[in-house]
């Protein structure tokens, strides 16, 4: 028996319009800035048309990426609500691919934009084993005080002990796959966008992500213990918005690009990997081929890094020592700079910056029998 487990930040699967760009240019799509829009009603009409058209292109590409994953169990990030997920699954995955995900679960979290983590599953694995949800619970209401995780660094950023730890959620799902227990933790950690109190986006958000990672460790440890003798089958999946290493990109198209590995100590990777708590299985791939996201802010700030993770418990990782995760990159926009030998054929209609399946590359791993 085997099961394919995947994670994917499908990027703003929304079921609503955002008209705040009429008064706040930071929220306004760049295409609308090209036009002289005379009234709020006209802006709303144009924004509706723009979003509907762009969404159809993007979601076709998202569905193609999920089809290439061929996951039996899929952990998702940035889903607006369960109705949006149902509409996407039926209208795109099922209609385009012919196979859907009948089991869909989402619980509202803490994100101010309303984007949540979610879980989609087939009824059976490709090998015919039944997939059953036993229980599911949210940890969105946990505070720093609840787990004794409040730090001076958080206080310096104006957070308070009673504030909630997870900026979205840590969704805990108990499954049985072919009768064998498997527990999933679906997460989406604090992003690096924007600064705070005079600090850049990364520096001002590190203490928050550290607390989120420590909270996940504490939740798992309270449930399963933390000893090497534990036979627990669990996986932590999601977008952690952090990396322990990156590929710095220099050069240009004419002179050629260079890719330099750079270590980034002090990330959430260190917290979850410490003492063998869990294994980041993407690290089984070559160092230049672990990236799931391309970041660019001008020609001098470009890098490839892993933001999307599947962490396996020591027992589960040990049972699957030879399993190498796949990273699906055919939905990346053409602006993403690929290292030598990694270029792939993009899906039809992928653009320079958009449409695209997502800024994130989905990750999937096939796990053999676990017990």
């Amino acid at each position: 028996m085997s099961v394919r487990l995947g994670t994917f930040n499908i990027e703003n699967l929304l079921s609503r319009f955002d008209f705040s760009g009429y008064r706040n240019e930071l929220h306004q799509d760049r295409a609308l800035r090209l036009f002289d829009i005379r009234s709020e009603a006209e802006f709303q009409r144009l924004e509706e048309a723009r979003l509907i058209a762009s969404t159809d292109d993007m979601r076709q590409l998202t569905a193609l990426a999920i089809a290439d994953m061929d996951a039996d169990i899929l952990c998702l990030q940035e889903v607006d609500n369960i109705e949006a997920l149902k509409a996407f699954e039926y209208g795109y995955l099922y209609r385009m691919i012919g196979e859907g995900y009948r089991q869909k679960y989402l619980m509202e979290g803490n994100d101010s934009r309303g984007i949540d983590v979610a879980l989609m599953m087939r009824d059976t694995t490709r090998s015919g084993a039944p997939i059953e949800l036993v229980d599911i619970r949210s940890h969105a209401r946990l505070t720093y005080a609840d787990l004794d995780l409040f730090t001076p660094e958080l206080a310096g950023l104006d957070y308070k002990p009673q504030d909630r730890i997870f900026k979205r959620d840590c969704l805990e799902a108990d499954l049985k796959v072919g009768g064998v227990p498997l527990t999933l933790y679906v997460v989406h950690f604090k992003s690096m966008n924007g600064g705070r109190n005079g600090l850049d986006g990364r520096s001002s958000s590190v203490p928050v992500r550290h607390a989120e990672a420590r909270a996940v460790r504490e939740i798992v440890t309270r449930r399963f213990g933390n000893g090497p003798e534990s036979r627990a089958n669990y996986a932590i999946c999601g977008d952690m918005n952090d990396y322990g290493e990156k590929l710095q990109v220099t050069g240009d198209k004419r002179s050629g690009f260079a890719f330099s590995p750079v270590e980034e100590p002090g990330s959430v990777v260190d917290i979850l990997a410490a003492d063998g708590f869990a294994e980041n299985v993407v690290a089984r791939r070559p160092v230049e081929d672990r990236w799931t996201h391309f970041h660019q802010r001008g020609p001098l700030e470009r890098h490839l890094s892993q933001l999307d993770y599947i962490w396996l418990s020591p027992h589960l990782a040990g049972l699957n020592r030879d399993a190498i995760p796949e990273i699906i990159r055919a939905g990346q926009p053409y602006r993403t700079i690929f290292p030598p030998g990694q270029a792939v054929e993009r899906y039809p209609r992928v653009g320079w910056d958009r449409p695209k399946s997502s800024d994130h590359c989905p990750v999937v791993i096939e796990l053999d029998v676990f017990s």
Side-chain angles (χ1 to χ4, degrees), residues 217 226 234 267-279 311 314:
R217 279 197 66 145
N226 200 24
Y234 61 79
S267 74
V268 299
V269 176
D270 299 329
I271 294 171
L272 292 175
D275 306 317
F277 170 74
E279 182 184 345
W311 294 84

Side-chain angles (χ1 to χ4, degrees), residues 204-216:
S204 65
S205 56
V206 161
V208 180
R209 284 192 301 279
H210 280 192
E212 290 176 307
R214 293 189 180 102
V216 171

Side-chain angles (χ1 to χ4, degrees), residues 126-145:
R126 281 293 192 186
S127 57
I131 304 173
E132 174 191 0
L133 178 74
V134 178
D135 192 17
I136 190 166
R137 64 195 67 87
S138 166
H139 293 287
R141 291 186 174 277
L142 281 176
T143 68
Y144 297 115

Side-chain angles (χ1 to χ4, degrees), residues 7-9 75-78 116-119 139 166-172 184-190 209 212-213 215-217 219-220 235-241 268 272 307-311:
T7 185
F8 190 15
N9 181 332
C75 304
L76 298 173
Q77 301 87 50
E78 297 203 12
D116 299 303
V117 297
L119 185 64
H139 293 287
F166 295 109
K167 299 311 156 199
R168 281 91 179 185
D169 196 0
C170 173
L171 190 65
E172 182 176 6
L184 298 180
Y185 298 89
V186 189
V187 300
H188 184 187
F189 287 175
K190 169 71 175 174
R209 284 192 301 279
E212 290 176 307
V216 171
R217 279 197 66 145
I219 290 167
V220 175
I236 305 162
C237 303
D239 174 6
M240 297 191 169
N241 272 311
V268 299
L272 292 175
L307 298 185
D308 306 273
Y309 294 80
I310 297 177
W311 294 84

Side-chain angles (χ1 to χ4, degrees), residues 246-263:
K246 65 184 179 183
L247 283 178
Q248 194 73 47
V249 182
T250 55
D252 55 41
K253 190 182 235 182
R254 180 173 297 176
S255 62
F257 294 106
F259 302 85
S260 305
V262 178
E263 292 189 1

